[in-house]
Amino acid sequence: MNSTSPDLQHCAALDQRLLAAVKSIHILPTVAWPASLENRMIADYAAGRFALPEVSYQRPDLAAARAELAAIERETAALGGDPLGDYLARTAESWRIAAEMLEAVGTGGVSAPSIALYGRPGDAIPGSQRSNLDAARYFVELSDEVGADLLADDTREGITAEVLRDEMAHTLDGFFGAGTVKVEVDPELTAKAAAGATRIRLRGGATFSDYDRHQLLAHEALVHTLTALNGRAQPLLASLGRTSPRVTATQEGLAVFAELMSGAIDIARLKRISLRILAIDMALSGADFVEVYKFFAGCGQSAADSFHSAQRVFRGVPPAGGAAFAKDNVYLSGLLTVHTFFRWALKERRLEMLRHLFAGKLTLHDVVALQPHFESGAIAPPRWLPPWMQHVHGLAGKLAFSVFVNGIRMGKVHADELV
């Protein structure tokens, strides 16, 4: 397709229809728990008074959205297999599955579509015979082995949300331009932070460390917000500015990879990500909310952190066990897959694909399949790149080292051989 072809214009029209159809689909707000319930129950749990949470949800009627998304899926078949049509079909399908999931909110019917979107802990990691669950167990065990031997980091603790808001706002004004991205404190926010294209929210009442500050900049601001802004600037596909369910694994994997590349991740962070995957597996196997809470508490998390971690697993599903909201499954599998993709791009001398990954809300598959449209200009290159991506030689050095070191099998190395 050239940039003025009728097929390309048809894709743009379908893309606008897709965006209009999904305006009423709000995944995390629909499954969120009220902060007032959380605060009361955290106090009870901290005092040893355990009861299953009673959460009520407002179930949306998304029949019209589902019908329109199904129509868009059908119409993409007329595009003759062009990757833009495939992109639109996959995106519409993922939103349709998300709509089905939200219409089941509050029931065990959330699990199946949630797993369809975000995967199951036992799924194999691409390019490996090991599963996401195996990887999670490995990082938990590694953290437990080395964590006790690590000296306390020389970092600030107890940074208030208000102080962090001001620090981040100053940094982001310098990066994106004054006023482009606002940083706000939200007392009703369940997660510690959430990022959109023009606004980053921090949970009111929470305290943060220097590691949190670095992680939030690398993860929320310089991946999630950055890709949203780049996507909004796209000349053809406005949907590249919005996170569809199908891009969640790549987006979260890229964001955690950014933490790794910017030195903003620690072993405790990897453990927290991994524990959530183990907890999803527990819930799907029948563990209830209290059991999952006690699992996190037994792994060293505070009462508040244990509650919030368990809450993430049981968003939108009954707390009695046997069901789970699987979104947290994507963080580790996404990280491992993105890391592998970066190494592949280095080996194949395709570093331009890595830059294209930041052009909007894309999957790894999209970046490969849509290369002809990047080359034609139908999809624009990213305006902004995170600092670690702006220094390609440094990135290439890290990845080259990683590719080589992966060939060294630690199980056959003895200490006396290294000295």
Side-chain angles (χ1 to χ4, degrees):
M1 294 183 193
N2 63 56
S3 60
T4 59
S5 74
D7 282 345
L8 204 58
Q9 297 310 309
H10 183 44
C11 285
L14 287 173
D15 189 66
Q16 288 299 320
R17 282 176 56 190
L18 187 152
L19 278 178
V22 304
K23 279 185 177 179
S24 57
I25 303 175
H26 306 287
I27 297 176
L28 296 185
T30 302
V31 301
W33 293 13
S36 56
L37 169 68
E38 293 184 358
N39 294 336
R40 183 177 74 252
M41 296 207 71
I42 288 171
D44 286 344
Y45 277 38
R49 297 188 296 271
F50 299 111
L52 292 181
E54 296 181 5
V55 188
S56 59
Y57 299 96
Q58 187 70 39
R59 192 173 298 172
D61 179 2
L62 300 171
R66 284 189 289 105
E68 172 68 347
L69 290 166
I72 292 170
E73 289 179 69
R74 290 191 298 270
E75 290 190 39
T76 57
L79 295 172
D82 183 88
L84 280 179
D86 181 61
Y87 160 83
L88 290 167
R90 289 170 181 258
T91 303
E93 179 189 35
S94 75
W95 279 114
R96 179 174 52 77
I97 294 170
E100 294 169 357
M101 177 179 72
L102 296 181
E103 288 182 317
V105 70
T107 76
V110 166
S111 280
S114 171
I115 289 168
L117 293 174
Y118 308 122
R120 183 186 289 273
D123 290 345
I125 298 166
S128 169
Q129 294 182 341
R130 305 187 71 182
S131 71
N132 202 28
L133 199 57
D134 293 329
R137 289 172 178 147
Y138 168 79
F139 284 112
V140 170
E141 291 171 4
L142 180 65
S143 175
D144 290 341
E145 287 174 7
V146 306
D149 296 329
L150 297 178
L151 296 175
D153 291 311
D154 185 18
T155 60
R156 289 181 299 165
E157 298 286 345
I159 304 170
T160 67
E162 289 74 18
V163 168
L164 183 56
R165 173 196 61 200
D166 295 343
E167 291 182 358
M168 287 187 67
H170 176 74
T171 301
L172 297 181
D173 280 350
F175 186 86
F176 291 112
T180 303
V181 178
K182 294 181 180 179
V183 185
E184 301 174 353
V185 175
D186 182 354
E188 292 295 318
L189 187 64
T190 298
K192 226 171 180 181
T198 59
R199 182 177 66 148
I200 295 174
R201 293 177 293 153
L202 307 174
R203 188 170 75 223
T207 57
F208 301 83
S209 68
D210 266 340
Y211 259 121
D212 291 328
R213 176 182 179 277
H214 295 316
Q215 287 165 3
L216 292 176
L217 279 171
H219 184 118
E220 303 290 351
L222 299 180
V223 172
H224 291 330
T225 293
L226 180 147
T227 52
L229 287 171
N230 284 335
R232 284 189 171 194
Q234 285 295 333
L236 180 73
L237 299 177
S239 63
L240 290 175
R242 180 158 186 187
T243 305
S244 67
R246 64 180 287 266
V247 306
T248 303
T250 297
Q251 271 285 298
E252 298 299 353
L254 182 61
V256 179
F257 183 76
E259 296 178 37
L260 187 65
M261 288 295 102
S262 9
I265 200 167
D266 60 352
I267 192 68
R269 166 74 163 156
L270 284 172
K271 181 178 180 180
R272 285 196 301 274
I273 292 170
S274 300
L275 287 175
R276 293 171 187 170
I277 295 167
L278 300 181
I280 291 170
D281 187 62
M282 288 176 61
L284 290 172
S285 299
D288 66 21
F289 184 91
V290 173
E291 291 173 305
V292 172
Y293 168 89
K294 290 181 177 179
F295 165 73
F296 283 113
C299 291
Q301 293 191 3
S302 68
D305 286 344
S306 296
F307 190 93
H308 284 125
S309 295
Q311 177 265 342
R312 293 174 68 99
V313 175
F314 286 91
R315 286 176 287 185
V317 304
F325 182 69
K327 178 177 181 288
D328 281 343
N329 187 63
V330 305
Y331 287 81
L332 189 53
S333 62
L335 167 63
L336 295 169
T337 307
V338 166
H339 194 286
T340 300
F341 182 78
F342 268 72
R343 289 165 45 216
W344 172 86
L346 172 68
K347 182 180 177 182
E348 297 297 321
R349 309 294 193 268
R350 299 301 303 273
L351 292 181
E352 79 282 356
M353 285 191 179
L354 303 182
R355 289 186 284 270
H356 292 163
L357 192 54
F358 294 90
K361 303 294 185 177
L362 295 157
T363 68
L364 300 178
H365 170 86
D366 294 334
V367 171
V368 176
L370 294 173
Q371 281 306 298
H373 294 293
F374 278 105
E375 292 168 5
S376 73
I379 302 177
R383 175 180 175 182
W384 287 289
L385 289 170
W388 57 271
M389 267 299 298
Q390 295 172 18
H391 307 292
V392 177
H393 292 294
L395 173 65
K398 290 179 182 179
L399 293 173
F401 185 78
S402 174
V403 169
F404 182 79
V405 168
N406 279 350
I408 300 174
R409 299 181 63 185
M410 289 300 295
K412 295 188 176 182
V413 175
H414 299 285
D416 57 2
E417 297 176 308
L418 304 176
V419 296

